[in-house]
Amino acid sequence: MTAFTTETSATGVQAPSVGTARTRVEGRDKVTGAARYAGEVPFAGLAHGWLVLSRVARGRIRSLDTAPVLAMPGVLAVLDHRNAPRLETDYTGLLGMRPDPTCAVFQHDRVPHLGWPVALVVAETSEQAREAAETLVVHYEQQPHETEFTGEHPDAHPVDGHMPAVTRKGDLDAELAASAVVVDAEYTTPEEHHNPMEPHAATARWDAGRLEVIDSNQGATWVVGELASLFSLDPASVRVRSEHVGGGFGSKGVRAHQVAAVMAATVLQRPVRVVLTRRQMFSLAGYRSPTSQRVRLGADADGRLRALEHRALSLTSTVHEFVEPSAGVARVMYDADAHHTANRVVALDVPSPTFMRAPGEAPGSFALECALDELAEKCGVDPVELRLRNEPARGPVSGLPFAGRNLAACLREGARRFGWADRDPRPGARRDGRLLLGTGMAAASFPAGAAPSTATATAHPDGTFTVRISAADIGTGARTALTLVAADALRVAPERVRVRIGDSDFGPAMIAGGSMGTRSWSWAINEAAGELRDRLAIGAGVPPEGITVRSDTTAAIGALAPAERHSYGAQFAEVAVDVDTGEVRVRRMLGIFAAGRIVNPLTARNQLLGGMIWGISMALHEEAVRDHASGGHVGADLAGYHVATHADVPRIEADWIDDADPDDPVGIKGIGEIGIVGAAAAVANAVRHATGVRHRTLPIRPDRVLSAVEEVPDARPGS
């Protein structure tokens, strides 16, 4: 046995690692190409699958001309509804969610939307598979389809989703009638897509009776559970590995390509890889639903709310009921004597939407925070002051206490650093040549949750440690953050700790989603490492095989007292609007956040800035457009779907205030999503301040700006 020794600073105590800026532990591998992504891991005898997607928006498959395709060079098989393995779809998956039937490919001849998987062609090479897939002729019985989303669709109905669909307290009509000031407005947001840098990819193979999947996902144990249920397998007989993930944003769960790869590997008994193209991702990877939202606010003359109604409508597919809960943000942010919220959906012949960075909060905050701005203007109250006057003491709907609510501190610090006090509230008062200048702000919140997870920590005879957890680093810097957490729990330098992630064999753990990943994983690692440190401290030597401790946070997280737990933020933006071209440019942006203890300031700032930039993109660029004649997208690629690029990113700054969570052993909350919440509203409010025109429809395109300023003559310079 080898004795355990600690590493200390000159003071005799190991300096804390959490809170120090650290470059990514895998950074060198990524910039040198050594980091392998799901589509790059080599396998002997690897075959390649290519999905064939429907070209009609609704109907049935009458026949497939597979014989000519099977005769093409290199083609090994064509799977479709006539010969594919049968799947089990009647089960409940992660966090109590039902599976999207789109992933249960080739089970019937129905086509519920354009881009529905109808076949998989498998060949020796990717090029052969693609050529054969594009050659396959599919005959359809086409049926009338409906893809147009409107705010007054007659089939709209409430859906609970991961929160209750409807909440009500107080007499809304009475409080609105008694209000000195009323805002009643409708806001719309378009369909938006994730578009991670790395396309979705999966390789499946059978090895000694065990299924192994090399995948790009947001949670290996999540994928294990879904695949085991679909294929009626013992979860212990399925292993999912995900070495590196090039972005996910909510889209990398269980999708058609993984299931198709497992089917083909089962039929052919050899490894099969399926990679989605960028265009296929628009149909198969999920997206954020468009929304139509009505907000009604009633307030006293000083801006204190008496009535708040937030009603949101989103779309879903005809095969899966998914709701974008945009009205949920109002249930946390502001209280009123009458407080009504509702999330409704309408089913159309379109692909299923899914979770996308800050689901509900991102579009919901645009509507709510713009409405608050409109109320501030009507009341003659500063927008920051209006929000401070409406700070609730408890959860507006839940009635639960807040486990720390530092929104007011974010608002005050943001206003100070942005120079908000010097703002002239009059619209169109500031000009720079032909440009109109304006400033706007918005508040933000996002839930700060934690889910049960397991982890192991191992001490080795050479004084190093290995931590294993089924976490997923989807580009957030999770590997590095977890290394710092483990080092502090072990009271050693980070260089002595190796964190291994992305393997379902490490045991169940929370996914990278809902801004809960790092918090959940850190909790488990802190428990395992702390117990290991205690065992080593009693003088036990380390045997050659090492000493391993395993943790499970199920009991600890289950014991948390009910409370409203959230991260908060305040977004500030300055824009320049060219009324001759309609261009809107964001000149500077500041976000101040209360997001718990910051583990790694370097990667945390990256996450917050990334969210804010995506908010700029949401406000000014992103808009997936459907051709309702075909039911498909116009420009389903990164040429036709516009996102913010380097030229669109201004002076932008993200910072935070002290905000440790006393209920969390590491004190952290979550930062992956709070950065985008409120960002689009801040930009839209700034455009209103610059031009005097309120834009309630995103994105704020040049043509919309031009049309609006033509209706307001004094918005043009020189008028």
Side-chain angles (χ1 to χ4, degrees):
M1 290 189 174
T2 301
F4 172 80
T5 59
T6 60
E7 185 175 287
T8 60
S9 66
T11 63
V13 179
Q14 173 62 41
S17 298
V18 170
T20 61
R22 299 290 180 121
T23 58
R24 297 170 186 261
V25 295
E26 80 283 10
R28 180 177 292 273
D29 287 345
K30 285 184 173 177
V31 299
T32 60
R36 300 187 303 183
Y37 291 84
E40 300 174 330
V41 180
F43 288 98
L46 179 65
H48 298 265
W50 201 276
L51 284 167
V52 179
L53 307 185
S54 71
R55 297 186 179 182
V56 301
R58 187 181 178 195
R60 290 186 176 273
I61 302 168
R62 288 198 290 110
S63 62
L64 299 94
D65 296 343
T66 56
V69 170
L70 289 167
M72 294 178 69
V75 174
L76 301 170
V78 177
L79 298 181
D80 58 56
H81 68 279
R82 302 168 301 179
N83 61 356
R86 298 295 94 186
L87 299 175
E88 174 59 58
T89 58
D90 187 16
Y91 68 91
T92 301
L94 181 79
L95 302 179
M97 295 184 297
R98 301 283 297 174
D100 180 353
T102 307
C103 70
V105 292
F106 319 140
Q107 298 300 289
H108 52 74
D109 64 355
R110 298 187 303 279
V111 174
H113 62 75
L114 189 139
W116 176 265
V118 297
L120 178 77
V121 177
V122 187
E124 296 287 355
T125 69
S126 178
E127 293 79 8
Q128 290 171 331
R130 179 170 191 168
E131 181 181 6
E134 292 176 349
T135 302
L136 180 64
V137 175
V138 183
H139 301 279
Y140 300 96
E141 175 191 312
Q142 195 165 351
Q143 299 169 353
H145 64 267
E146 182 184 8
T147 60
E148 189 166 5
F149 175 75
T150 62
E152 299 299 326
H153 199 286
D155 295 332
H157 58 281
V159 171
D160 286 343
H162 61 276
M163 64 175 66
V166 177
T167 64
R168 290 191 183 94
K169 74 173 183 181
D171 188 329
L172 186 71
D173 291 335
E175 293 296 338
L176 285 170
S179 296
V181 181
V182 173
V183 170
D184 185 347
E186 294 190 8
Y187 305 85
T188 63
T189 61
E191 180 180 322
E192 300 166 353
H193 285 258
H194 305 75
N195 282 309
M197 291 179 65
E198 178 201 17
H200 294 56
T203 304
R205 67 168 182 167
W206 288 92
D207 184 15
R210 194 178 192 209
L211 174 64
E212 182 179 36
V213 177
I214 309 300
D215 189 26
S216 177
N217 62 57
Q218 293 181 225
T221 53
W222 180 16
V223 179
V224 165
E226 300 288 324
L227 292 178
S229 295
L230 285 165
F231 288 91
S232 300
L233 299 171
D234 180 352
S237 68
V238 183
R239 182 187 187 188
V240 173
R241 292 191 291 127
S242 189
E243 294 184 20
H244 296 279
V245 182
F249 312 117
S251 71
K252 286 186 174 174
V254 178
R255 302 284 171 197
H257 65 288
Q258 296 132 311
V259 178
V262 174
M263 282 182 169
T266 302
V267 171
L268 296 174
Q269 286 299 298
R270 61 185 286 186
V272 176
R273 174 171 295 156
V274 180
V275 181
L276 298 184
T277 66
R278 182 69 58 180
R279 182 171 291 273
Q280 288 175 337
M281 286 165 57
F282 274 78
S283 297
L284 297 179
Y287 56 95
R288 195 194 306 280
S289 165
T291 71
S292 177
Q293 303 175 59
R294 185 184 183 187
V295 179
R296 290 200 290 172
L297 304 176
D300 294 334
D302 62 0
R304 287 182 172 84
L305 288 167
R306 300 177 62 105
L308 186 157
E309 181 187 38
H310 191 170
R311 301 176 62 202
L313 177 67
S314 59
L315 62 73
T316 191
S317 70
T318 59
V319 298
H320 182 57
E321 205 165 53
F322 180 90
V323 60
E324 180 77 21
S326 302
V329 67
R331 302 174 186 180
V332 175
M333 292 298 286
Y334 308 108
D335 202 359
D337 293 330
H339 196 291
H340 291 197
T341 64
N343 292 308
R344 300 177 303 146
V345 301
V346 58
L348 300 174
D349 300 313
V350 296
S352 300
T354 192
F355 300 103
M356 184 167 166
R357 197 175 199 170
E361 278 78 6
S365 65
F366 164 67
L368 182 64
E369 293 298 313
C370 285
L372 261 289
D373 218 59
E374 297 197 45
L375 180 65
E377 187 173 351
K378 282 192 171 186
C379 293
V381 177
D382 177 80
V384 174
E385 176 60 26
L386 182 85
R387 288 162 173 83
L388 291 172
R389 290 181 185 180
N390 285 288
E391 269 289 277
R394 302 176 72 85
V397 171
S398 69
L400 295 172
F402 288 103
R405 180 179 169 106
N406 284 325
L407 175 57
C410 293
L411 290 167
R412 292 189 175 101
E413 177 65 9
R416 183 190 68 81
R417 289 177 53 168
F418 194 74
W420 188 260
D422 299 329
R423 177 183 191 256
D424 186 334
R426 295 175 301 162
R430 291 178 58 212
R431 304 185 183 231
D432 181 3
R434 73 183 190 192
L435 303 178
L436 299 175
L437 306 182
T439 52
M441 58 78 56
S445 74
F446 194 81
S453 298
T454 62
T456 62
T458 301
H460 302 290
D462 62 358
T464 63
F465 300 85
T466 299
V467 172
R468 295 175 175 84
I469 187 166
S470 295
D473 190 335
I474 60 174
T476 58
R479 273 187 182 85
T480 309
L482 298 181
T483 299
L484 303 183
V485 169
D488 277 6
L490 292 164
R491 297 177 186 169
V492 300
E495 290 73 22
R496 290 172 59 184
V497 179
R498 181 191 179 199
V499 173
R500 296 186 58 195
I501 65 173
D503 190 332
S504 62
D505 277 0
F506 297 159
M510 178 57 186
I511 67 170
S515 293
M516 293 193 287
T518 301
R519 184 181 191 187
S520 302
W521 306 325
S522 294
W523 199 321
I525 288 173
N526 192 71
E527 281 197 5
E531 184 180 341
L532 178 60
R533 184 195 68 238
D534 292 343
R535 286 183 57 181
L536 294 169
I538 63 176
V542 180
E545 68 275 14
I547 298 176
T548 297
V549 170
R550 181 180 181 83
S551 68
D552 185 339
T553 62
T554 302
I557 290 174
L560 283 173
E564 290 279 3
R565 294 182 171 86
H566 304 270
S567 294
Y568 297 96
Q571 305 267 16
F572 295 81
E574 178 181 335
V575 303
V577 182
D578 189 327
V579 293
D580 289 332
T581 66
E583 287 182 276
V584 177
R585 295 285 183 176
V586 179
R587 287 193 164 186
R588 63 188 176 107
M589 196 164 183
L590 169 69
I592 300 293
F593 301 95
R597 189 181 181 195
I598 301 301
V599 178
N600 183 359
L602 184 63
T603 52
R605 185 168 279 107
N606 288 345
Q607 282 296 293
L608 295 171
L609 291 176
M612 293 168 69
I613 293 167
W614 205 346
I616 296 172
S617 197
M618 177 182 176
L620 303 179
H621 303 288
E622 295 194 47
E623 182 179 25
V625 178
R626 287 194 179 274
D627 171 18
H628 298 300
S630 69
H633 287 108
V634 176
D637 50 47
L638 291 181
Y641 183 83
H642 297 164
V643 297
T645 64
H646 286 299
D648 300 299
V649 176
R651 286 190 295 138
I652 183 167
E653 182 182 2
D655 210 342
W656 46 82
I657 62 173
D658 291 337
D659 183 52
D661 185 344
D663 293 328
D664 184 283
V666 187
I668 66 176
K669 290 183 179 178
I671 58 172
E673 285 154 296
I674 186 66
I676 193 175
V677 182
V683 174
N685 290 337
V687 172
R688 160 63 185 174
H689 184 231
T691 65
V693 178
R694 171 64 61 181
H695 289 269
R696 299 187 181 94
T697 295
L698 294 185
I700 305 173
R701 300 190 315 243
D703 62 306
R704 289 173 174 162
V705 173
L706 292 174
S707 297
V709 296
E710 288 299 328
E711 298 174 7
V712 186
D714 60 355
R716 301 184 67 86
S719 60

